Amino acid sequence: MKSLRRTAVAVAAALCAALVPAIPVAAAAKAPAAPSDAALASVPARNDLTRDQFYFVMPDRFANGDSSNDKGGLTGSRLQTGYDPTDKGFYQGGDLKGLTQKLDYIKGLGTTAIWMAPIFKNKPVQGTGADASAGYHGYWITDFTQVDPHFGTNADLEKLIDSAHHKGMKVFFDVITNHTADVVDYEEKSYDYLSKGAFPYLTKDGVPFDDSDYSDGTKKFPAVDVDSFPYSPTVPAAEKNVKTPSWLNDPTMYHNRGNSTYAGESADQGDFGGLDDLWTERPEVVQGMEKIYEKWVEDFGIDGFRIDTVKHVDMDFWTQWATALDAYAAKRGRSDFFMFGEVYSADPKITSPYVTQGRLDSTLDFPFQDAARQYASQGAPASQLANVFAQDYRYTTDKANAYEQVTFTGNHDMGRIGYFLKADNPKASDAELVQRDKLVNQVMFLSRGNPVVYYGDEQGFTGSGGDKDARQPMFASKTADYLDDDELGTDRTAASDAYDSSAVLYKEIAALSKLRKANPALTDGVQTERYAKDSVYAFSRTDAKTGTDYLVAVNNATEAKTVEVPTGAAGTDLRALYGTSADVRTGADAKATVTVPALSSVVYKAQK
């Protein structure tokens, strides 16, 4: 529980000592009643209830359990229903019933938590002509209170959650607070971003003001009307009441500044790809979004949220919203409720403030993803991994630390790890690409954090890029762009179903999961860097309760490497657990001579 987490000082001391030994921790000694080193060592490195292995799935692309809802109860052409299984930008037919039917397949990977792309009711189609596309991905919400009919009903969702819980798996919602579907237009028919400096917000009486002066909720927000914005918001008559809850139909609840350039002020004030950008500095929006998601916590017993586009919302919103959701869940016996945010940046200095200031439990670990890809796919030196882990101290608060980071290798936006491997190694054989895929999973599963498997990666899916090109269905596809995709480790094509539990990558992930489960320190043990040179990165994972050490070494070279790894303990037998059958023993200098196979890893357990 969060109430059992260590204080900020204690966590900082432990993480600095384990992960970045060069950083002094003397300041921690000044804190009153600081725990002793022995006390710190006896406390787990992170929350007992966030040691998860995620499976990220897009319901529309996973399994079709009920063909009667393929068109979402709508009639007409694909531009009215959103359904066209021959087009990668439209609904393919997957739903919650299909997902429920395949829970055993998901659990077989060792999955402990399912993270679903948004399942709330969407605007079926947006855009015109060649730009027309459907809301199959779930990010164009019109009704935040019900499941999109293309995916089924609220009752179907309840059954899915109950079934997953019965099988020992949690369920996480992908949620959005930054925007809604594109409904609000501008009378000017111009959409370039207009800055606050040149076009300030105006009160109802025409007085300029800066919304950031009110965003922390401590001062009364000025009264505004439709003339308060740089653009004049207008809503088509047919869509004036299309959004639920009803307050979302008020155009003054949005920034109305034009399209974001994803830089500077526009990053959180502009429309994300033309979507209606909520005025999150307004208290009505903060409280409205709190109530929306509190209702889902109350009614469906979900286990946590993955939060979309976190970087595009002002920080004060997160501090208020996350605090409120935490408190709401805790009052209902859900003190383990877990929230992690999408902060699309490979720089920990940018991602970590959303934990330390924004009060989220964690972020999606884009810095890890970037380093892991460079290491396993591009041959970057071990220092690339070391540099990421050396900044883990940045995530330390009174309720969180870097061990809660949600790690991944690719996703539905940037592209799959299989695609990156092929792009980075165009001359590599299928066997080499499979081995590199195994390596990047080993790096992720054996180091700190909650690992994510993006649906289909366990079947060797690759794709040809990001976004739509990384969202293939698991069931037999009718989409030409997917039918010519290569799949790693198999001769199968996208024309066939892909739920093969004997697939080489499925088996590898399941084996890593089994290894972690049998040796919990590989999931949550304190991580201490031992060696980072050239192609080899080695670290120990220490069981905080028993003191048992595990030594992990990974090698991204195309030949085996033998290195001497400092372990901190002389004359200790290290029993081989993974990647080798050869036990080793540390010498009087406390070093172990370890041979790591090409593009692979080894794991040893210290024997007392």
Side-chain angles (χ1 to χ4, degrees):
M1 295 184 296
K2 293 179 181 176
S3 60
L4 296 180
R5 295 182 185 177
R6 292 173 291 181
T7 63
V9 170
V11 176
L15 287 178
C16 287
L19 296 171
V20 280
I23 296 178
V25 294
K30 298 179 182 179
S36 66
D37 289 344
L40 285 176
S42 68
V43 180
R46 59 174 172 159
N47 179 0
D48 281 345
L49 298 174
T50 59
R51 296 182 175 102
D52 280 318
Q53 176 182 324
F54 285 90
Y55 189 78
F56 172 36
V57 59
M58 302 190 79
D60 178 61
R61 303 300 166 97
F62 191 69
N64 191 345
D66 183 359
S67 59
S68 70
N69 61 28
D70 287 353
K71 296 183 179 181
L74 302 171
T75 58
S77 72
R78 71 176 195 158
L79 296 180
Q80 280 74 51
T81 69
Y83 177 70
D84 182 356
T86 69
D87 190 319
K88 62 187 177 182
F90 283 74
Y91 286 96
Q92 306 277 297
D95 50 38
L96 298 181
K97 286 183 178 178
L99 185 54
T100 304
Q101 292 166 7
K102 296 293 184 182
L103 288 178
D104 286 338
Y105 167 87
I106 295 173
K107 186 175 181 179
L109 286 164
T111 303
T112 64
I114 299 169
W115 152 25
M116 297 187 296
I119 46 80
F120 313 110
K121 186 176 181 180
N122 267 230
K123 190 171 184 177
V125 177
Q126 291 190 172
T128 58
D131 293 328
S133 183
Y136 69 91
H137 42 66
Y139 294 102
W140 299 342
I141 302 173
T142 55
D143 188 342
F144 286 79
T145 68
Q146 75 169 77
V147 169
D148 190 290
H150 291 86
F151 301 148
T153 65
N154 285 22
D156 293 334
L157 176 62
E158 187 172 4
K159 183 176 180 180
L160 167 64
I161 295 171
D162 288 345
S163 298
H165 285 171
H166 181 72
K167 293 178 183 294
M169 292 184 288
K170 303 174 185 175
V171 178
F172 281 66
F173 282 4
D174 198 323
V175 302
I176 305 164
T177 64
N178 176 63
H179 58 261
T180 70
D182 184 12
V183 173
V184 177
D185 197 1
Y186 304 141
E187 289 182 5
E188 293 81 1
K189 299 299 180 183
S190 175
Y191 306 97
D192 290 340
Y193 183 77
L194 300 179
S195 71
K196 293 199 292 184
F199 299 89
Y201 290 111
L202 303 176
T203 69
K204 202 171 185 178
D205 297 324
V207 179
F209 73 97
D210 188 341
D211 59 341
S212 61
D213 291 339
Y214 304 87
S215 60
D216 65 1
T218 60
K219 293 190 293 184
K220 183 176 175 60
F221 200 85
V224 298
D225 58 22
V226 291
D227 296 321
S228 297
F229 305 94
Y231 285 116
S232 305
T234 181
V235 178
E239 296 185 300
K240 283 191 179 296
N241 297 301
V242 74
K243 297 180 186 179
T244 303
S246 60
W247 63 267
L248 292 167
N249 294 305
D250 180 353
T252 70
M253 293 296 171
Y254 302 87
H255 282 121
N256 300 315
R257 288 197 163 274
N259 290 331
S260 176
T261 65
Y262 308 107
E265 170 192 296
S266 81
D268 63 52
Q269 291 270 321
D271 292 349
F272 190 97
L275 299 168
D276 297 350
D277 199 68
L278 283 158
W279 200 356
T280 50
E281 290 81 3
R282 286 194 68 161
E284 298 94 334
V285 174
V286 179
Q287 293 157 16
M289 281 291 154
E290 288 172 3
K291 288 182 172 60
I292 284 172
Y293 292 115
E294 286 171 353
K295 182 67 172 172
W296 287 102
V297 173
E298 174 73 12
D299 292 350
F300 285 83
I302 56 174
D303 300 285
F305 294 145
R306 177 270 193 187
I307 309 160
D308 185 60
T309 52
V310 164
K311 190 171 65 171
H312 302 287
V313 176
D314 65 286
M315 188 68 75
D316 282 335
F317 174 91
W318 296 122
T319 305
Q320 297 169 78
W321 185 85
T323 300
L325 265 294
D326 264 344
Y328 185 88
K331 286 180 180 179
R332 283 149 185 82
R334 305 296 308 286
S335 55
D336 59 327
F337 198 80
F338 185 65
M339 295 183 286
F340 59 100
E342 178 206 31
V343 184
Y344 206 142
S345 171
D347 186 349
K349 293 191 295 294
I350 293 175
T351 56
S352 58
Y354 293 92
V355 174
T356 57
Q357 298 175 43
R359 305 300 289 170
L360 299 177
D361 295 299
S362 167
T363 64
L364 273 170
D365 206 335
F366 282 91
F368 171 86
Q369 188 279 333
D370 184 63
R373 175 191 176 180
Q374 290 187 49
Y375 177 77
S377 184
Q378 299 173 342
S383 58
Q384 200 72 32
L385 294 173
N387 289 341
V388 170
F389 294 130
Q391 298 187 67
D392 278 357
Y393 69 92
R394 296 184 183 276
Y395 297 95
T396 303
T397 74
D398 61 309
K399 69 163 192 161
N401 59 62
Y403 288 79
E404 298 185 12
Q405 285 294 98
V406 178
T407 52
F408 67 105
T409 61
N411 66 21
H412 60 319
D413 289 328
M414 61 168 46
R416 295 181 178 276
I417 184 59
Y419 164 70
F420 298 141
L421 291 168
K422 291 190 67 177
D424 296 339
N425 304 276
K427 296 181 180 180
S429 65
D430 181 70
E432 179 183 335
L433 293 174
V434 168
Q435 192 57 43
R436 288 186 181 275
D437 203 315
K438 288 183 177 181
L439 175 61
V440 75
N441 276 297
Q442 290 159 10
V443 171
M444 178 171 67
F445 274 80
L446 297 173
S447 61
R448 64 99 180 111
N450 297 294
V452 177
V453 175
Y454 178 42
Y455 85 95
D457 282 358
E458 77 280 6
Q459 295 294 333
F461 284 13
T462 56
S464 57
D467 198 74
K468 298 174 187 178
D469 291 322
R471 301 172 180 180
Q472 302 87 341
M474 292 285 283
F475 47 93
S477 179
K478 299 178 182 178
T479 301
D481 285 343
Y482 296 148
L483 292 174
D484 62 2
D485 282 352
D486 187 26
E487 295 181 6
L488 304 183
T490 180
D491 293 328
R492 185 192 59 232
T493 71
S496 302
D497 289 356
Y499 307 102
D500 182 7
S501 59
S502 66
V504 60
L505 292 172
Y506 185 103
K507 291 171 66 177
E508 173 69 12
I509 292 168
L512 288 166
S513 303
K514 186 176 181 180
L515 179 68
R516 281 162 47 102
K517 186 175 181 180
N519 302 276
L522 296 175
T523 297
D524 64 7
V526 174
Q527 182 169 317
T528 308
E529 183 178 296
R530 297 299 186 185
Y531 186 94
K533 186 177 180 181
D534 301 327
S535 68
V536 177
Y537 187 69
F539 52 94
S540 60
R541 303 297 304 271
T542 304
D543 190 308
K545 295 179 181 178
T546 67
T548 303
D549 275 327
Y550 293 77
L551 179 64
V552 179
V554 294
N555 172 29
N556 72 353
T558 53
E559 64 277 339
K561 294 291 183 180
T562 300
V563 296
E564 286 192 336
V565 180
T567 66
T572 300
D573 291 321
L574 299 175
R575 179 167 61 87
L577 292 184
Y578 180 87
T580 181
S581 59
D583 298 342
V584 298
R585 182 177 175 83
T586 62
D589 59 358
K591 293 182 179 180
T593 301
V594 174
T595 298
V596 193
L599 297 175
S600 192
S601 62
V602 292
V603 180
Y604 298 91
K605 180 179 180 180
Q607 306 297 296
K608 289 188 178 180

